[in-house]
Amino acid sequence: MSFKKQNWGWMRHVLTALSVLIFVSFLGCIVIGYMSWVLATSTTVNRFLSGTLIFTYTVIALGFFLFINGLVGWVGTVSQSVWLIRLFLGASVLCILGEIGGIITLNIIQIQTVDVVEHGWLELNQGTRNMIQLNMECCGFSGPQEFAYSTLPIDDSCYEPHTDNSTDDDGSSIARSDWDETTFTTPHMRLKQIGCGQKLHKWFEENKVAWVAGLATIGAVEFMAAAVALFILRRLQTSLRPRTLSRRRLRQHETDMANDPLPSELP
C-alpha cells in the first residue's frame, strides 16, 4: 500500500520529534545507559540471573521498550512506513495500559514508598549510593551500624567534617577522650549518624507533587505521541478513500465498455 508523501502532513514532524527527543534520547538511552553502569559496577551475572532483582528487571525492560518503540516511531515517520506507525501506535497503547495496570497493582497490594525505596537501595550500585550519601548528608540505608558486620569499606561520603569544639546536646563541651570511636574517626571527620532510608522517604513525601507531576508528564507525552500516530493513520485512511472509489469506478467503467457490443454486432 503506497501513499503520497504530501498526505502525511506536518504532524509527522511532531511524531518524529517526540520519538527522537523523548523516547530514544531522553528516556530510552538514559535509562539503558544508567542501568548498564549499575550492572557493570555492582551486580554479578549469577545474581542478575537469580530472578530476585525485580526493580532492576523492571527498569531495564522499560528502558529497552522505550528505546525500541521510539526507534520504530522515528524510522516509521522518516521512511513514511504505515505499518511501522501502526506498530508504534500499538506499542504505545500497550505501554500506557501497562503503566495504568502497574499503578492499580501497587494500590491493590498496598506497596508503600518506604518498601520501594528499600528494595531500590539494595539493587543500586555503590556509586549511586555514594552520591545519595554525599548530597543528603546520610550514611547507609539505616545508618552506619549496618557496616559493623560487613566487610565493605565505608566510603568518604559517609563522613562529615567537625570542629574540635564539639558540644553535647546540653551545650557542654565534649572532651576528646569521651568521643566514641564509632562516631568520631579522626580529629576532623566523623561518621554521619542518620540513615539514607529515612531521608529518602522524607524526600519522596515532601516532593510528591514534583515526582508525580514528572511521571504524569511522561504519561501525557506517551499519550500525545499515540494520538499523533492515530491522527496520521486516520488522515492517510481518509485520503485513500476517494482514490479507491475512483479506481473502482474506473474498473466498473472498463468492465461495462468491454461488455458493450460493438457497432458491427448491433442488429
Side-chain angles (χ1 to χ4, degrees), residues 198-248:
Q198 178 183 352
K199 289 209 168 186
L200 284 171
H201 180 263
K202 182 180 179 181
W203 184 90
F204 277 107
E205 291 295 329
E206 292 179 349
N207 299 274
K208 182 179 294 185
V209 176
W211 61 266
V212 169
L215 294 177
T217 301
I218 296 176
V221 171
E222 294 175 354
F223 178 80
M224 183 171 61
V228 172
L230 180 61
F231 174 83
I232 292 176
L233 293 176
R234 292 295 299 272
R235 178 188 178 95
L236 295 176
Q237 185 178 2
T238 303
S239 63
L240 179 65
R241 288 176 181 175
R243 297 174 57 192
T244 304
L245 184 60
S246 299
R247 290 176 180 176
R248 290 179 180 177

Side-chain angles (χ1 to χ4, degrees), residues 11 101 104 136 181 191 243:
M11 293 297 288
I104 295 175
M136 289 194 167
E181 61 180 2
L191 279 173
R243 297 174 57 192

Side-chain angles (χ1 to χ4, degrees), residues 11-21 70 73-74 77-78 228:
M11 293 297 288
R12 73 184 183 93
H13 301 293
V14 178
L15 186 58
T16 302
L18 291 174
S19 300
V20 175
L21 298 180
W74 175 34
T77 52
V78 172
V228 172

Side-chain angles (χ1 to χ4, degrees), residues 153-223:
I154 302 178
D155 189 77
D156 293 340
S157 58
C158 265
Y159 296 95
E160 61 182 354
H162 74 93
T163 61
D164 291 341
N165 297 325
S166 301
T167 58
D168 203 350
D169 294 337
D170 57 359
S172 59
S173 60
I174 303 177
R176 184 179 299 274
S177 58
D178 295 334
W179 289 350
D180 182 40
E181 61 180 2
T182 61
T183 304
F184 301 98
T185 57
T186 66
H188 301 289
M189 303 293 291
R190 66 177 178 182
L191 279 173
K192 302 170 185 176
Q193 299 301 303
I194 302 178
C196 295
Q198 178 183 352
K199 289 209 168 186
L200 284 171
H201 180 263
K202 182 180 179 181
W203 184 90
F204 277 107
E205 291 295 329
E206 292 179 349
N207 299 274
K208 182 179 294 185
V209 176
W211 61 266
V212 169
L215 294 177
T217 301
I218 296 176
V221 171
E222 294 175 354
F223 178 80

Side-chain angles (χ1 to χ4, degrees), residues 94-165:
L94 289 178
C95 183
I96 295 173
L97 294 178
E99 292 172 357
I100 296 175
I103 295 174
I104 295 175
T105 303
L106 291 177
N107 291 329
I108 292 176
I109 60 181
Q110 297 181 353
I111 293 182
Q112 303 297 326
T113 306
V114 63
D115 300 325
V116 178
V117 171
E118 183 177 0
H119 285 84
W121 178 269
L122 295 176
E123 298 181 22
L124 292 176
N125 61 344
Q126 192 59 44
T128 304
R129 295 177 184 176
N130 294 341
M131 288 188 290
I132 296 175
Q133 292 173 161
L134 182 63
N135 292 299
M136 289 194 167
E137 298 295 331
C138 56
C139 181
F141 184 79
S142 57
Q145 60 270 18
E146 69 181 47
F147 294 98
Y149 303 100
S150 175
T151 58
L152 295 176
I154 302 178
D155 189 77
D156 293 340
S157 58
C158 265
Y159 296 95
E160 61 182 354
H162 74 93
T163 61
D164 291 341
N165 297 325

Side-chain angles (χ1 to χ4, degrees), residues 12-118:
R12 73 184 183 93
H13 301 293
V14 178
L15 186 58
T16 302
L18 291 174
S19 300
V20 175
L21 298 180
I22 302 299
F23 294 104
V24 177
S25 300
F26 290 103
L27 288 179
C29 289
I30 289 179
V31 171
I32 293 175
Y34 171 73
M35 292 308 299
S36 299
W37 173 60
V38 171
L39 294 176
T41 55
S42 64
T43 307
T44 61
V45 176
N46 292 332
R47 187 185 177 193
F48 181 75
L49 298 177
S50 63
T52 59
L53 305 178
I54 306 301
F55 178 81
T56 302
Y57 301 148
T58 302
V59 176
I60 291 178
L62 180 62
F64 272 104
F65 183 86
L66 292 176
F67 177 81
I68 296 175
N69 193 36
L71 187 63
V72 169
W74 175 34
V75 175
T77 52
V78 172
S79 63
Q80 298 190 5
S81 174
V82 177
W83 70 272
L84 284 179
I85 299 299
R86 290 175 178 170
L87 180 61
F88 173 80
L89 175 60
S92 299
V93 172
L94 289 178
C95 183
I96 295 173
L97 294 178
E99 292 172 357
I100 296 175
I103 295 174
I104 295 175
T105 303
L106 291 177
N107 291 329
I108 292 176
I109 60 181
Q110 297 181 353
I111 293 182
Q112 303 297 326
T113 306
V114 63
D115 300 325
V116 178
V117 171
E118 183 177 0

